[in-house]
C-alpha cells in the first residue's frame, strides 16, 4: 500500500536503496564506506591500493600516493578553505570539531590527491567516465554517499598553490551537501564566489572578466536558456558565478541566508529558494538579466 513520491518515481532502485541506507547510517558508517570507495577509485584509475596512504582532519579524509607531509598539508589547506566558505555558509557550522565536524558532510569528505595532471585526467576518465577540461586541476563530486574532491597536488607544490586549487571545490562541496536537491549551478557558482574573494585581480583582469560576462549575458534572452543547458559550459559558469555573487549584496543577503537555513531544515531547493528570495530561480534569473542589461 506504500506510495512513491512523485519526484522519486523516475529514480532507479539502486539510487533509492542508497538513499535509504544513507538515511539510516551514522556519519562514522558513511566515513567507513567512503574509505572503501577511495580504495576502489584508486584501483580503477590504475593505482595500487596497497600504496595508498591517508591523513585525517576534522572534516576530511585525504588519500594519495604522495608523501605523508603532502597529505597533511592538503588537509590543512582544505580546512582553511572550508572556513573561508563562511562567506556563504554559517561560520559556526563550519568551525565545528570532532563528531559535529564529521557530521557536516554526513561522514568525512574524501580528498583524492593526484600528483600529476595525467593522473588527474585518468581518474576522471576511469572513475567518472568523462574528460575534464585541459585547464582544470581540481573538481568535486557529491551524490550523498560519495563526497569527494579530486586535486592535482605533488610533493613539490607550495601550500598557496594547493589552497588556490581547493578553494572553489571545497566551498561547492560544502554547499552541495546541505541538501540532495541543491542544483549544480548553485553549488558551483557559490564555490567560484568564495574562491574569487581570496584572489587579487588587477584592473586589466577585472576589465576582461567584465567584458566576458557582458558577452555571455548578451547570448541570453531568458533564464530558461540557462536552466535548459543551452549555453556553452564556460559561459554558463560565468553566469552562475555572477548570479550567485548577486545573492550576497546588502539587499539580498538576508534572503540568501534564509535559503541556506531552509535547505538545512530539509526543504527542497526550489521551495527553499522561493521562500527565501521571494521568487523562483528562473524568475530571479530573468530579473537579474534585465538589471544587468
Amino acid at each position: 500500500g506504500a506510495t512513491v513520491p512523485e519526484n522519486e518515481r523516475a529514480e532507479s532502485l539502486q539510487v533509492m536503496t542508497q538513499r535509504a541506507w544513507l538515511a539510516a547510517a551514522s556519519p562514522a558508517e558513511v566515513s567507513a564506506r567512503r574509505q572503501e570507495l577511495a580504495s576502489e577509485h584508486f584501483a580503477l584509475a590504475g593505482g595500487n591500493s596497497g600504496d595508498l596512504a591517508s591523513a585525517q582532519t576534522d572534516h576530511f579524509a585525504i588519500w594519495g600516493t604522495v608523501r605523508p607531509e603532502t597529505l597533511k598539508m592538503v588537509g590543512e589547506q582544505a580546512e582553511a578553505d572550508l572556513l573561508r566558505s563562511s562567506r556563504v555558509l554559517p561560520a559556526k557550522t563550519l568551525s565545528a570539531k570532532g563528531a559535529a565536524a564529521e557530521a557536516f558532510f554526513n561522514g568525512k569528505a574524501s580528498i583524492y590527491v593526484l600528483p600529476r595532471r595525467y593522473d588527474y585526467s585518468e581518474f576522471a576518465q576511469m572513475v567518472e567516465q568523462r574528460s575534464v577540461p585541459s585547464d582544470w586541476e581540481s573538481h568535486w563530486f557529491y551524490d550523498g554517499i560519495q563526497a569527494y574532491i579530486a586535486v592535482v597536488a605533488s610533493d613539490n607544490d607550495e601550500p598557496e598553490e594547493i589552497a588556490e586549487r581547493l578553494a572553489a571545490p571545497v566551498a561547492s562541496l560544502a554547499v552541495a551537501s546541505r541538501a540532495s536537491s541543491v542544483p549544480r549551478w548553485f553549488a558551483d557558482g557559490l564555490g567560484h564566489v568564495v574562491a574569487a574573494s581570496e584572489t587579487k585581480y588587477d584592473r586589466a583582469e577585472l576589465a576582461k572578466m567584465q567584458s566576458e560576462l557582458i558577452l555571455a549575458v548578451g547570448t541570453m534572452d531568458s533564464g530558461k536558456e540557462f536552466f535548459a543547458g543551452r549555453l556553452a559550459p564556460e559561459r554558463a559558469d560565468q553566469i552562475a558565478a555572477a548570479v550567485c555573487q548577486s545573492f550576497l549584496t546588502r539587499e539580498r543577503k538576508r534572503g540568501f541566508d534564509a535559503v541556506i537555513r531552509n535547505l538545512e531544515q530539509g526543504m527542497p531547493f526550489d521551495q527553499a529558494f522561493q521562500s527565501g528570495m521571494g521568487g523562483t530561480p528562473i524568475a530571479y534569473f530573468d530579473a537579474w538579466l534585465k538589471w544587468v542589461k
Side-chain angles (χ1 to χ4, degrees):
T3 59
V4 179
E6 184 73 31
N7 65 331
E8 294 181 5
R9 290 181 184 177
E11 291 183 347
S12 69
L13 182 60
Q14 180 182 7
V15 170
M16 294 178 68
T17 301
Q18 287 181 341
R19 285 192 175 180
W21 179 85
L22 188 63
S26 69
E29 289 172 326
V30 177
S31 293
R33 176 59 184 138
R34 289 174 183 167
Q35 179 176 344
E36 295 172 357
L37 288 168
S39 296
E40 294 172 13
H41 288 162
F42 271 87
L44 269 177
N48 184 348
S49 58
D51 296 333
L52 193 61
S54 69
Q56 304 281 324
T57 67
D58 284 315
H59 294 90
F60 301 99
I62 307 92
W63 308 93
T65 55
V66 293
R67 293 185 309 182
E69 295 83 1
T70 301
L71 294 177
K72 180 181 177 182
M73 179 173 64
V74 170
E76 291 171 348
Q77 297 306 316
E79 289 288 352
D81 281 330
L82 185 62
L83 288 176
R84 294 187 185 100
S85 301
S86 62
R87 182 168 174 78
V88 297
L89 294 173
K92 184 177 180 180
T93 304
L94 297 169
S95 60
K97 302 293 183 183
E102 186 171 17
F104 180 82
F105 292 108
N106 196 21
K108 291 191 178 186
S110 299
I111 300 178
Y112 299 149
V113 179
L114 304 156
R116 300 176 299 171
R117 182 60 177 67
Y118 171 82
D119 301 319
Y120 173 73
S121 177
E122 190 73 3
F123 177 91
Q125 286 278 5
M126 300 306 297
V127 176
E128 301 173 3
Q129 288 80 55
R130 65 166 178 157
S131 298
V132 291
S134 59
D135 60 339
W136 280 23
E137 293 184 301
S138 62
H139 68 272
W140 62 278
F141 183 91
Y142 181 77
D143 68 2
I145 292 179
Q146 298 184 83
Y148 67 76
I149 293 165
V151 60
V152 179
S154 73
D155 293 331
N156 297 320
D157 286 332
E158 296 295 328
E160 295 78 12
E161 296 176 279
I162 293 173
E164 184 176 348
R165 292 171 199 162
L166 288 171
V170 164
S172 293
L173 185 60
V175 172
S177 62
R178 297 310 85 205
S180 61
S181 59
V182 171
R184 188 161 193 102
W185 69 263
F186 188 77
D188 269 341
L190 290 171
H192 287 302
V193 167
V194 171
S197 69
E198 298 295 319
T199 304
K200 304 297 182 183
Y201 297 104
D202 61 32
R203 187 171 299 178
E205 289 173 319
L206 289 171
K208 180 183 178 183
M209 291 165 61
Q210 185 68 20
S211 65
E212 289 175 347
L213 177 61
I214 292 171
L215 183 63
V217 167
T219 65
M220 291 181 64
D221 293 322
S222 75
K224 290 181 180 178
E225 297 170 70
F226 177 88
F227 289 103
R230 297 175 189 162
L231 303 181
E234 62 274 12
R235 291 190 174 178
D237 289 346
Q238 290 168 343
I239 290 171
V243 169
C244 288
Q245 180 68 59
S246 74
F247 297 152
L248 306 183
T249 61
R250 182 180 300 176
E251 298 81 10
R252 299 183 180 93
K253 184 62 163 61
R254 181 176 295 179
F256 170 76
D257 290 342
V259 174
I260 298 298
R261 285 196 302 273
N262 293 339
L263 290 171
E264 294 272 12
Q265 292 166 10
M267 270 192 200
F269 177 79
D270 285 350
Q271 182 182 348
F273 190 95
Q274 185 155 0
S275 175
M277 304 301 287
T280 65
I282 289 180
Y284 186 95
F285 262 73
D286 286 341
W288 177 83
L289 270 176
K290 184 178 180 180
W291 176 78
V292 170
K293 290 184 174 183

